[in-house]
């Protein structure tokens, strides 16, 4: 299960040696390709290997049982809607989705010393149950962190120091790291060159989300589709309140550009 909840099927087969590597797994990308392959237990398949292993349609079909697509999310057990090309877990509390968003946030902001395994350990011990927001609470939970197997005092200090160094962010850096589908850091950089962060914040804070639509579609490069994605995200009241809580932990630098007005720094606490 990926960061956005997409289910990527993986084929498991007897080891084959390709380019000196023992290969036992190959991603099948999505349900559409999974259905096209029509795999059965015992099928003989071809595996090519360039950058990643690639499985082609079976050359020799077996009489084994047909391999069915999973009906529930492997991570959280949520029932899946299967009548789509790309199957997605919709559970916002899915462990894989929570960890994926935190990892995406850390990667985009270049927060070091925090990989998936580290995040998974912290989550298992209940230290990341509030997602990205939990990162900024770890400073007060250093003793609990040090109690996790493999987490020494030095490692914990490095992790906390990296996170604390990212309390001051440019507006587009923060929103671009949230992992809102189809909305990249470059998209938000374009938005905040044209809309003041303070104005954007007030619209979210006062829950006047629909006011954003005409402002967004006037920006060259922000089409109606991206505008709708952003509106849908903040029209969800849980998302809106969560982002407002997260912003209280941060110092946001406004990057609005104007020939008449200079850049300013806005601090929320």
């Amino acid at each position: 299960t990926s960061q956005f909840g997409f289910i990527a099927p993986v084929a498991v087969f007897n080891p084959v040696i390709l380019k000196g590597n023992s290969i036992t797994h190959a991603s099948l990308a999505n349900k559409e390709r999974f259905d096209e392959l029509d795999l059965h237990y015992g099928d003989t398949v071809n595996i090519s290997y360039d950058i990643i292993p690639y499985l082609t349609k079976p050359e020799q079909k077996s009489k084994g049982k047909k391999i069915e697509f999973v009906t529930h999310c492997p991570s959280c057990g949520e029932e899946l809607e299967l009548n789509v090309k790309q199957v997605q877990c919709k559970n916002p509390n899915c462990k894989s989705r929570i960890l994926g968003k935190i990892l995406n946030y850390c990667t985009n902001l270049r927060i070091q010393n925090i990989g998936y395994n580290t995040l998974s350990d912290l989550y298992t011990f209940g230290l990341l149950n509030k997602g990205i927001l939990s990162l900024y609470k770890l400073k007060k939970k250093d003793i609990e962190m040090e109690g996790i197997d493999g987490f020494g005092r030095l490692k914990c200090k490095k992790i906390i120091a990296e996170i604390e160094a990212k309390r001051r962010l440019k507006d587009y850096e923060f929103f671009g790291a949230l992992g809102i589908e189809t909305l990249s850091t470059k998209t938000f950089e374009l938005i905040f060159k044209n809309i003041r962060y303070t104005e954007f914040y007030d619209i979210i804070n006062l829950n006047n989300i629909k006011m954003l639509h005409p402002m967004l579609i006037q920006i060259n490069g922000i089409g109606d589709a991206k505008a709708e994605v952003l509106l849908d995200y903040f029209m969800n009241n849980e998302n809106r309140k969560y982002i407002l809580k997260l912003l209280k932990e941060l110092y946001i630098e406004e990057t609005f550009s104007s020939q008449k007005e200079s850049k300013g720094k806005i601090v929320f606490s």
Side-chain angles (χ1 to χ4, degrees), residues 2-69:
S2 72
Q3 163 195 343
F4 296 121
F6 291 109
I7 310 297
V10 176
V12 181
F13 41 82
N14 292 329
V16 292
I17 304 299
L18 296 172
K19 296 186 178 180
N21 297 306
S22 178
I23 308 299
T24 58
H25 295 71
S27 173
L28 305 182
N30 53 43
K31 186 174 185 295
E32 183 178 35
R33 184 156 187 273
F34 175 89
D35 290 341
E36 288 175 356
L37 290 169
D38 188 30
L39 296 171
H40 292 66
Y41 290 102
D43 284 352
T44 300
V45 298
N46 283 329
I47 305 295
S48 59
Y49 182 54
D50 186 9
I51 298 174
I52 59 172
Y54 186 82
L55 183 147
T56 59
K57 280 191 175 183
E59 283 197 351
Q60 183 178 338
K61 299 289 289 184
S62 76
K63 294 182 180 180
K65 184 180 178 182
K66 178 178 172 62
I67 301 174
E68 301 290 348
F69 200 87

Side-chain angles (χ1 to χ4, degrees), residues 201-237:
Y201 176 86
D202 286 342
I203 288 171
I204 296 170
N205 189 40
L206 297 172
N207 202 15
N208 294 324
I209 311 301
K210 289 182 179 179
M211 288 178 60
L212 278 174
H213 190 268
M215 299 167 70
L216 290 169
I217 60 174
Q218 289 178 17
I219 302 172
N220 186 26
I222 305 294
D224 193 62
K226 287 186 176 180
E228 287 296 335
V229 169
L230 188 59
L231 261 65
D232 286 346
Y233 182 84
F234 283 111
M235 289 287 281
N236 181 313
N237 210 35

Side-chain angles (χ1 to χ4, degrees), residues 111-125:
I111 299 176
Q112 304 297 317
N113 301 305
I114 301 181
Y116 185 86
N117 290 337
T118 295
L119 292 175
S120 183
D121 287 339
L122 291 170
Y123 181 89
T124 299
F125 280 82

Side-chain angles (χ1 to χ4, degrees), residues 106 111-115 118-119 122 128 135 138-139 145 150-166:
C106 293
I111 299 176
Q112 304 297 317
N113 301 305
I114 301 181
T118 295
L119 292 175
L122 291 170
L128 292 179
L135 290 174
L138 290 176
K139 185 177 180 180
M145 287 177 65
F151 282 68
R153 180 172 296 181
L154 182 59
K155 179 176 180 177
C156 293
K157 281 186 175 181
K158 285 182 178 179
I159 291 172
I160 291 170
E162 287 283 345
I163 294 167
E164 291 300 308
K166 299 299 180 179

Side-chain angles (χ1 to χ4, degrees), residues 94-118:
C94 175
K95 176 183 175 181
S96 289
R97 294 189 69 186
I98 291 172
L99 291 182
K101 286 190 175 184
I102 299 173
L103 183 61
N104 177 74
Y105 185 83
C106 293
T107 301
N108 273 274
L109 296 182
R110 297 179 295 280
I111 299 176
Q112 304 297 317
N113 301 305
I114 301 181
Y116 185 86
N117 290 337
T118 295

